[in-house]
Amino acid sequence: MSKPQVVVYGASGYTGKLIAEYLAKRGISFIAAGRSESRLKAELGKVPFVDRVEVQYAALEHTVEALTELFLGVKVVINVVGPFAQLGREVVQACLSAGAHYLDTTGEQDWVIDCKAEYGQTFADKKLVLAPATSWMWNAGLLAAEVALETSGIDSLDIVYAPNGNPSPASTKSFLRMCCQPQLKLELNKFQPWPQATAYEATVPGFHQHLLALPWSGGCEPVWYADDERVQNCSVLTAFTNRPMMELVVAKMKEFADLAPTLSAKEQEELTNAWGESICSTEPPREIEEINRVVISCWARGNTTVKHVVFFNTCGYLQTGVMAAELADRLLRNQHKRVGFTSAVHAVGHRELIAACAEEGMHCWEPA
């Protein structure tokens, strides 16, 4: 039995199962990896299309040695085990040792910055892709930004995400830790921090009322554009339509700001993990297009040029499955556009990734 060329590490989780679904829908066999083979088999047994492809199962320890052994002979690893700043390095190092492309679904800005600084050049030297945050958040805003940058003279991007839905348990842990860490935006080609524990009233197309917004780690768009000569300013806010949830997060951010000076870095991570577990311990239901509608708005301008790009889309988690499967498919066929540290948007192409999501009915072909 030949070894599949894709590993989904953390395949039994909410997002992992969606990635497995869209890989299988494309006819791509994969190895489902995690801590428990019985749980992997039970969870993936519920996933559409998985019975159409070969799936191998692997239960292993979270060590560089065990992961490297699994990744040998594999071309693409999709890591869905977070929080990524806490658990990602072993997987990245194993990918380097095994010679595999690395994708993950993080929303943690600090982890993406660390990936670039610590591993970007090594991946590039080996002609491998290092694409953290291969997910709706933070690629949806990047798609809008790239459409805006088709207009000559644009150099500044103001992006707002407005999702409607509940995060998964893993996402809850990740977003709580990242909201309590320094959150950065790009101003005149330099990273600048957002004010600590501060919320904003955002104006979002399609809503009469203002939505409560947070930097939500600062997003990864400022990181993607940090060395891009086209862009000198980039800021990202996220405005969930669930205001009580946003108010709870703001309260936790303020509590963290008071407690952080008395805690070690390890204790800080343990605290946000515990908060995440207390807020969300069960998987949300599968997204429904008529309910989980989302808005991406990007105001873009230069000295005398302005462009407003708005996408009315649906189902951010499902789009993550599509985006990860699309990039994996192109890597298997050697059709990627970049190596080293990159976003999924830049590795695939923004119009191509829009098309992949639009073909699934989750993304409009052109902005509103």
Side-chain angles (χ1 to χ4, degrees), residues 313-328:
N313 299 324
T314 187
C315 300
Y317 277 105
L318 295 183
Q319 284 193 55
T320 293
V322 174
M323 290 176 178
E326 178 70 17
L327 179 51

Side-chain angles (χ1 to χ4, degrees), residues 144 208 240:
H208 285 127
F240 274 87

Side-chain angles (χ1 to χ4, degrees), residues 145-168:
E146 285 295 324
V147 171
L149 287 165
E150 293 174 356
T151 299
S152 178
I154 295 296
D155 65 10
S156 300
L157 306 163
D158 180 359
I159 300 167
V160 171
Y161 285 71
N164 179 27
N166 295 313
S168 69

